[in-house]
Amino acid sequence: MPAAGAEGEEGPAGAGGEGAGPCGPSGDQAGPGAPKLCGYLQKLSGKGPLRGFRSRWFVFDPRRCYLYYFKGPQEALPLGHLDIASACFSYHQPEAGATAAGDEAAAFEVHSPTGAVAVLKAATRQDMTYWLQELQQKRWEYCNNLDAAKRDSRMSPTPSDLSKGLVAKDNPDLSILSQNASAERARNILAVETSPTDLVGEQAASQPAPVQPSSINFSLKQWSTEIKNSMSSLRKGNNENRRSIFYTTEEWEMLDPTPKDLEDSMALEEKRKHLAEGSKGLTSSAFPFDFGRIPHKTRRPLKDMIASSKNRNSSDSSPTEWYAGNGNKLVSELQLKYQSQQEELEKLKKDLLSQKELVRLLQQTVRSSQYDKYFASRLCEGVPKDKLELLHQKDDQILGLNNQLEKLNLEKDNLQQEVKNLKCKVGELNEQLGMLMETIQAKDEVIMKLSHQLSECEDSTSSQSGAVNTSMAACTNKELQELDRLKDNLQGYKTQNKFLNKEILELSALRRNAEAREREWQAKYTSLEAKLCQIESKYLILLQEMKNPVCSEEQSPAREVITQLLEDALKAETSEQPEQAFFKPHLVSEYDIYGFQTVPEDDDEEKLVAKSRALDLRSLSLSENREISTGVKWENYLASTMNREMMRCVELKNLIRSGIPHEHRSKIWKWCVNLHVKKFKDSTIPGYFQTLLQNALEKQNPASKQIELDLLRTLPNNKHYSSPTSEGIQKLRNVLLAFSWRNPDIGYCQGLNRLVAIALLYLEQEDAFWCLVTIVEVFMPRDYYTKTLLGSQVDQRVFKDLMSEKLPRLHAHFEQYKVDYTLITFNWFLVVFVDSVVSDILFKIWDSFLYEGPKVIFRFALALFKYKEEEILKLQDSMSIFKYLRYFTRTILDARKLTGIAFGDLNPFPLRQIRNRRTYHLEKVRLELTELEAIREDFLRERETCVEKRDLISDDEEDS
């Protein structure tokens, strides 16, 4: 049976596509400091004989009230999800005789409105109770709109405990519905409070998944399918290719034997050989027991042997008695043959040893004769005979001593062999003695047992009354145990009854709330339908007037209609309107989540365009929210890195390219900045930023005047920088002054203020300072922000080359009408698209920019042109093209499509190519600047010599 409300049930791709992902987004609904609901549960899945519980990692997403489940905490895509908002829960009390820790005791069910049931099982009953109460609470909060504004709202995010900077200090403007007091009291009375264990919460991600093996009937018909499925999931280069292909609910590994296992197996084989040799010669012993079959140093008690012999006797009385008798005869014959062959083998071994000894003696004699012959032939020439005889005597003595030594060695070997034989006999005698002692002990036990029975028979008359009392006590104990068991069952049923009553109460209250909500939405729908009819009526009048214009000096009715439509469009929504019944802010609030003003106040025409753009953004965000949020992926990834540092990897890069969630942007930006400036920060003293700031404030700073002039001109449309008293102004001043003192070659350049202003929205002052260091001193080439802007000019020429390569049609179109688009793109590169694109796209660009570097600017600059390529190609004169280029980036609203173009359609995009072209164009720009400087010097020299040109001044002199 499929899971309740599950999509992509146990599929490899999961419920996903782009944007699908794992762990719940920003904090839970209980507040920013509340722990996230996640942990391990067993989920019943599979079909047929493979149906069983599998361990899964579950994560609750408060934005959509979904319970996602993954194969593990490190997975990026979910296997599926359960819709908790429309589900109900139940569990069964274990039957009598079932243990509290059994499978049924910790299992509960999630029922969906379609009739599907998902069976989940916790590790303990305590975990099951905690999951049930938390899921009930999340469903209650979600359905009662406790987080209506945070859910699916992009205008007022809930600040997270992880967020920092100016944006994190904004408070959401929420209008919470008042709760039913009686329902709340009843829920609190019926609540079953319990605390989680280590298998629930973010800390559970660092623990191994609980494994519960289950017995599953395997069918041979399914082996081929299992082999295909398992082989398709194998990864090259990992130990996973050693897993058994016949797995069920667990993942087993085929392991090579360890050296210790090999040694143990060899020792066991040697022991068996010794036992086989030791049994020889003992079968004919006069002792009635077969000691040769007993392992060394293993003494079986006599009563065990008697019991085993009884078992053998009882088995001999089976229908196979005749076969067993014939088998014993055959075995005895084989034993006799084996013994005779062993004796012959021993004889042959002795003959072989004697032959070897004879060969050895003959070899020794031959060597001695050869030595004598050689020695005599060499020494007889000039040596006296008496000395030769003396040498011969010494040789004879040496040979004699060697022979005596060999005899002694043989005697020693014989004595050692005799000692071994004696030790074996002593061991055998000890074993026989032990068996005799056990026999005596068994007889003593029999005697004691008979004596005890005799005494019992004598006292039987006196013990009858005591037996009655004992039986009554046993019955009483049994009844007490039964009573305790019934009390436990009663308590369990009470808890179950309380939970089910609470479930019924909540479902009834939610049903009433849903009915009231439906009535209010119906009223809102009716109001909007009436408003739509009025607007359609006005548009019809307008269209009719445009079709048949009235040519007269009097004011046309169409102008009145247009004026009325514009007033209605720009009119602020009043609190009496139905859309205010559930949540605010409005669809188009005054400021977006980053503090930027959505609708300007002065120009009515610009106000209308801005509101139209904001409505389009809102519509786009609502359509995107129908899909799974990328925040779930981020939550799962961050949970998997709780006990380890984040590292550069493909998974993290893809997550950042898809966009960092608002609540995690501060943490990820800070990590990216520290990653790039670690070498700088390691070489500085503690309090480096404060020292720079103090020096800049106390001493004369040539850049301070220009900084003060540009502070209020930085982001005037952002509420954090709109007035001199805004909090962001002072932070912006501090960061720019500290940087101007650190890098006096640059000091301050117009454009740095906007970079710092964007960084301060998510970072504190010191982190924003290091972010500026990252951009100016790590990412961008030298002289990018100096007076000559040499690096910026070089990048514009590199960008022209990339345009001609990646977008040749558009480049040729610009060349045809002699449009210098670098006049527009120059500012894109200098301030990284600040004030050039809508804020949602801007921060997605900055996410990738802080992680990957300046190549991202080239990618998105090309992507912006490619996004609107067809529209630009339709323009056929330079004035209209240049006018369109000045504002077209503000009309691009689909961040997902733009990201797909930047990181997909424009590939390959090697960084080496950009570096090479920068080097090439840098030399050309330097030569041009040198020529311009020479022309300037010639002009100054000519002006000094010529009286007529002394009144001429250059632009630089005029500015100064």
Side-chain angles (χ1 to χ4, degrees):
M1 186 178 292
E7 296 178 3
E9 172 68 23
E10 300 292 338
E18 190 174 350
C23 211
S26 54
D28 266 350
Q29 289 149 324
K36 296 178 177 61
L37 181 59
C38 55
Y40 285 107
L41 287 175
Q42 302 276 335
K43 184 177 183 298
L44 184 63
S45 58
K47 295 181 180 179
L50 293 180
R51 185 168 177 81
F53 285 98
R54 290 173 171 81
S55 181
R56 295 289 180 253
W57 175 258
F58 282 79
V59 179
F60 180 76
D61 180 4
R63 285 195 176 112
R64 308 198 63 188
C65 202
Y66 282 175
L67 186 64
Y68 291 96
Y69 53 92
F70 304 83
K71 199 170 183 179
Q74 290 78 22
E75 297 296 323
L77 294 176
L79 300 174
H81 69 270
L82 307 178
D83 187 359
I84 302 301
S86 59
C88 60
F89 314 107
S90 65
Y91 72 93
H92 299 285
Q93 181 70 13
E95 299 294 335
T99 59
D103 291 348
E104 297 82 3
F108 60 96
E109 298 173 352
V110 182
H111 299 260
S112 71
T114 59
V117 181
V119 182
L120 306 179
K121 184 171 64 176
T124 63
R125 190 174 180 82
Q126 181 181 358
D127 285 339
M128 180 198 74
T129 308
Y130 180 80
W131 273 100
L132 285 173
Q133 76 175 16
E134 287 299 312
L135 291 176
Q136 275 188 336
Q137 182 68 20
K138 304 302 181 187
R139 180 188 62 189
W140 178 262
E141 293 174 354
Y142 182 88
C143 294
N144 283 283
N145 293 312
L146 287 177
D147 276 338
K150 181 173 71 175
R151 184 176 71 245
D152 298 339
S153 175
R154 297 156 61 94
M155 300 306 168
S156 294
T158 299
S160 170
D161 55 336
L162 300 176
S163 297
K164 295 181 180 179
L166 298 172
V167 174
K169 296 178 174 58
D170 292 341
N171 293 321
D173 184 17
L174 298 181
S175 176
I176 307 300
L177 289 178
S178 59
Q179 298 300 315
N180 190 330
S182 60
E184 285 293 331
R185 281 198 301 271
R187 288 182 69 255
N188 294 333
I189 292 173
L190 297 174
V192 181
E193 295 295 336
T194 185
S195 57
T197 64
D198 293 338
L199 293 177
V200 182
E202 289 182 310
Q203 72 279 358
S206 60
Q207 299 183 5
V211 179
Q212 294 188 358
S214 59
S215 58
I216 296 180
N217 297 326
F218 229 116
S219 173
L220 289 175
K221 295 179 181 180
Q222 297 172 344
W223 281 7
S224 61
T225 306
E226 284 299 312
I227 292 173
K228 293 177 182 178
N229 293 338
S230 60
M231 292 300 291
S232 64
S233 64
L234 294 180
R235 303 176 185 174
K236 296 182 179 180
N238 294 336
N239 289 332
E240 294 183 6
N241 57 358
R242 301 180 60 84
R243 290 179 183 167
S244 172
I245 57 178
F246 303 108
Y247 63 87
T248 55
T249 60
E250 301 176 11
E251 296 179 349
W252 299 84
E253 281 197 40
M254 299 169 58
L255 300 176
D256 293 332
T258 61
K260 184 177 180 181
D261 296 336
L262 292 174
E263 293 177 2
D264 294 343
S265 62
M266 295 296 293
L268 184 61
E269 290 296 329
E270 292 293 333
K271 190 174 182 180
R272 288 177 180 174
K273 291 181 181 178
H274 288 307
L275 291 176
E277 293 176 358
S279 63
K280 183 176 60 180
L282 294 176
T283 55
S284 59
S285 174
F287 198 73
F289 299 104
D290 189 3
F291 293 106
R293 295 173 185 249
I294 302 175
H296 184 57
K297 295 182 180 180
T298 303
R299 301 176 181 177
R300 294 171 57 192
L302 183 61
K303 53 185 179 181
D304 294 345
M305 297 182 64
I306 294 172
S308 63
S309 65
K310 288 181 180 179
N311 293 333
R312 288 198 299 270
N313 292 335
S314 62
S315 64
D316 291 342
S317 62
S318 62
T320 60
E321 182 179 0
W322 179 84
Y323 178 78
N326 292 337
N328 291 334
K329 291 180 182 179
L330 181 61
V331 169
S332 60
E333 292 177 359
L334 291 176
Q335 287 181 349
L336 291 175
K337 289 182 181 180
Y338 175 73
Q339 291 178 359
S340 62
Q341 290 177 356
Q342 289 287 340
E343 291 175 357
E344 292 178 1
L345 181 61
E346 291 294 332
K347 291 179 181 179
L348 291 175
K349 286 182 178 180
K350 292 180 180 179
D351 294 341
L352 179 62
L353 290 174
S354 62
Q355 294 294 330
K356 285 183 178 180
E357 182 65 20
L358 179 61
V359 170
R360 187 182 64 79
L361 293 174
L362 291 175
Q363 288 177 350
Q364 187 176 1
T365 305
V366 170
R367 282 198 299 270
S368 62
S369 62
Q370 290 178 352
Y371 173 75
D372 292 342
K373 180 179 178 181
Y374 172 78
F375 190 81
S377 63
R378 291 292 184 182
L379 298 179
C380 288
E381 296 177 357
V383 180
K385 291 183 178 181
D386 53 351
K387 292 183 178 181
L388 289 175
E389 292 176 358
L390 181 62
L391 290 174
H392 282 296
Q393 292 176 2
K394 296 294 183 182
D395 289 340
D396 294 337
Q397 291 177 1
I398 291 170
L399 291 175
L401 292 173
N402 287 333
N403 292 332
Q404 187 175 0
L405 179 61
E406 291 177 358
K407 291 179 181 179
L408 292 174
N409 288 332
L410 290 174
E411 291 178 359
K412 176 185 174 183
D413 295 339
N414 293 331
L415 291 174
Q416 289 178 349
Q417 187 64 32
E418 290 178 2
V419 169
K420 289 182 180 179
N421 294 334
L422 290 174
K423 285 183 178 180
C424 293
K425 290 181 180 180
V426 170
E428 294 173 359
L429 291 175
N430 287 333
E431 291 182 358
Q432 294 178 4
L433 179 61
M435 294 299 298
L436 291 174
M437 294 297 292
E438 291 180 357
T439 304
I440 295 171
Q441 184 179 358
K443 290 181 179 180
D444 291 340
E445 291 178 357
V446 172
I447 293 171
M448 293 296 295
K449 185 176 182 181
L450 292 175
S451 301
H452 183 64
Q453 291 178 357
L454 180 61
S455 62
E456 285 182 352
C457 291
E458 292 175 353
D459 299 336
S460 60
T461 56
S462 60
S463 63
Q464 288 181 355
S465 59
V468 173
N469 296 331
T470 304
S471 62
M472 291 180 63
C475 293
T476 304
N477 292 332
K478 187 175 181 180
E479 290 176 356
L480 290 175
Q481 291 178 0
E482 182 69 15
L483 182 61
D484 292 338
R485 187 182 63 80
L486 290 176
K487 286 182 179 180
D488 292 339
N489 288 340
L490 178 61
Q491 185 63 32
Y493 283 118
K494 285 183 178 179
T495 305
Q496 184 185 20
N497 186 43
K498 184 183 290 188
F499 169 77
L500 293 177
N501 286 336
K502 182 184 177 185
E503 184 73 8
I504 293 171
L505 175 66
E506 285 194 0
L507 291 175
S508 300
L510 293 176
R511 180 181 59 82
R512 289 192 298 271
N513 292 342
E515 291 175 354
R517 191 181 305 115
E518 183 178 1
R519 289 193 297 270
E520 293 179 355
W521 281 113
Q522 185 67 30
K524 177 183 177 181
Y525 168 76
T526 305
S527 173
L528 292 177
E529 188 175 14
K531 186 176 180 181
L532 178 62
C533 292
Q534 295 175 4
I535 294 176
E536 286 183 353
S537 174
K538 294 176 182 179
Y539 273 115
L540 289 175
I541 295 173
L542 178 62
L543 292 176
Q544 180 66 25
E545 178 63 23
M546 296 300 293
K547 181 179 180 181
N548 300 316
V550 179
C551 299
S552 64
E553 297 179 356
E554 299 179 358
Q555 187 177 5
S556 171
R559 293 189 176 275
E560 297 180 0
V561 174
I562 294 173
T563 304
Q564 184 64 36
L565 288 174
L566 290 176
E567 290 179 358
D568 293 342
L570 296 176
K571 186 186 299 182
E573 295 174 351
T574 61
S575 58
E576 287 82 10
Q577 289 182 336
E579 49 264 36
Q580 292 301 309
F582 291 102
F583 59 86
K584 56 179 184 178
H586 314 305
L587 291 178
V588 180
S589 62
E590 185 179 0
Y591 297 97
D592 62 9
I593 62 174
Y594 313 104
F596 289 100
Q597 196 173 22
T598 54
V599 180
E601 298 177 354
D602 47 0
D603 189 357
D604 287 344
E605 183 177 356
E606 180 62 26
K607 184 186 297 185
L608 189 65
V609 174
K611 186 166 183 179
S612 173
R613 186 189 309 126
L615 287 171
D616 290 340
L617 275 173
R618 179 61 179 162
S619 174
L620 188 64
S621 68
L622 290 174
S623 62
E624 288 179 353
N625 283 332
R626 297 195 185 109
E627 303 178 7
I628 299 177
S629 172
T630 56
V632 184
K633 291 182 181 180
W634 275 100
E635 290 291 340
N636 218 42
Y637 176 79
L638 294 176
S640 66
T641 58
M642 280 185 61
N643 298 322
R644 60 182 177 88
E645 293 183 359
M646 284 197 299
M647 302 290 291
R648 280 180 172 269
C649 61
V650 178
E651 179 186 4
L652 179 59
K653 182 172 72 172
N654 292 333
L655 283 175
I656 290 177
R657 285 180 173 182
S658 63
I660 305 173
H662 168 78
E663 59 273 10
H664 299 304
R665 185 166 279 134
S666 297
K667 177 180 178 180
I668 303 301
W669 278 21
K670 184 177 179 180
W671 177 80
C672 291
V673 170
N674 291 334
L675 185 70
H676 295 298
V677 296
K678 188 176 185 301
K679 59 181 180 179
F680 295 119
K681 297 181 74 173
D682 292 343
S683 61
T684 58
I685 60 174
Y688 176 69
F689 170 74
Q690 295 297 332
T691 304
L692 290 176
L693 179 58
Q694 193 68 23
N695 292 333
L697 292 174
E698 293 177 354
K699 301 177 182 179
Q700 186 177 4
N701 189 351
S704 60
K705 182 178 179 180
Q706 188 62 41
I707 290 174
E708 289 296 330
L709 291 175
D710 288 347
L711 286 178
L712 292 178
R713 294 184 293 187
T714 302
L715 294 176
N717 59 337
N718 190 291
K719 64 181 179 180
H720 301 294
Y721 306 99
S722 58
S723 67
T725 58
S726 299
E727 184 181 2
I729 292 295
Q730 182 59 40
K731 292 185 176 182
L732 180 62
R733 179 187 293 111
N734 294 340
V735 174
L736 292 175
L737 288 174
F739 181 80
S740 66
W741 199 261
R742 168 186 168 84
N743 196 330
D745 292 339
I746 296 176
Y748 171 75
C749 171
Q750 288 184 345
L752 299 182
N753 54 337
R754 295 189 176 186
L755 298 176
V756 176
I758 295 298
L760 281 172
L761 291 178
Y762 282 99
L763 300 175
E764 296 297 337
Q765 291 186 75
E766 185 171 356
D767 297 325
F769 165 78
W770 287 113
C771 179
L772 184 60
V773 172
T774 301
I775 297 173
V776 176
E777 301 181 15
V778 179
F779 286 168
M780 299 304 189
R782 292 186 61 185
D783 299 328
Y784 211 90
Y785 294 99
T786 56
K787 185 178 180 180
T788 60
L789 299 176
L790 178 63
S792 302
Q793 298 181 53
V794 169
D795 271 1
Q796 295 310 303
R797 301 196 181 193
V798 174
F799 182 66
K800 273 191 172 182
D801 293 346
L802 293 175
M803 280 283 289
S804 63
E805 177 185 340
K806 301 290 184 180
L807 303 173
R809 294 170 56 212
L810 194 58
H811 180 73
H813 188 68
F814 287 143
E815 291 295 325
Q816 178 183 355
Y817 293 100
K818 295 180 173 52
V819 175
D820 188 5
Y821 53 86
T822 59
L823 298 176
I824 303 296
T825 60
F826 185 85
N827 195 54
W828 297 359
F829 283 74
L830 195 66
V831 296
V832 194
F833 298 100
V834 178
D835 270 350
S836 297
V837 294
V838 295
S839 54
D840 282 346
I841 294 178
L842 172 66
F843 284 93
K844 280 181 169 48
I845 293 175
W846 271 66
D847 293 339
S848 300
F849 171 67
L850 291 179
Y851 181 75
E852 300 184 45
K855 186 173 70 170
V856 171
I857 304 178
F858 289 96
R859 280 186 178 273
F860 276 98
L862 291 170
L864 289 171
F865 279 113
K866 186 172 179 60
Y867 195 105
K868 294 290 185 178
E869 182 177 14
E870 298 301 327
E871 286 81 352
I872 298 173
L873 291 176
K874 293 177 183 178
L875 303 176
Q876 300 298 324
D877 62 273
S878 59
M879 290 298 295
S880 59
I881 292 175
F882 195 79
K883 183 179 179 181
Y884 184 75
L885 292 181
R886 293 183 62 183
Y887 72 89
F888 84 100
T889 55
R890 307 291 297 183
T891 64
I892 297 176
L893 307 178
D894 194 345
R896 179 177 296 182
K897 179 180 177 181
L898 183 67
T899 304
I901 295 173
F903 295 111
D905 298 350
L906 296 177
N907 286 334
F909 211 90
L911 182 61
R912 182 183 304 172
Q913 181 184 11
I914 296 177
R915 289 174 177 169
N916 293 338
R917 293 189 177 184
R918 273 177 169 170
T919 305
Y920 170 74
H921 287 292
L922 180 62
E923 296 300 325
K924 294 183 65 176
V925 174
R926 280 178 176 169
L927 289 176
E928 292 176 3
L929 290 177
T930 304
E931 293 177 359
L932 289 175
E933 186 63 25
I935 294 173
R936 180 175 177 276
E937 291 178 357
D938 292 341
F939 170 77
L940 293 176
R941 198 165 38 248
E942 185 178 356
R943 189 182 66 177
E944 292 295 332
T945 57
C946 183
V947 179
E948 297 177 356
K949 296 183 179 181
R950 285 183 181 179
D951 296 334
L952 299 177
I953 58 174
S954 64
D955 293 338
D956 293 340
E957 291 173 336
E958 185 177 0
D959 294 338
S960 60

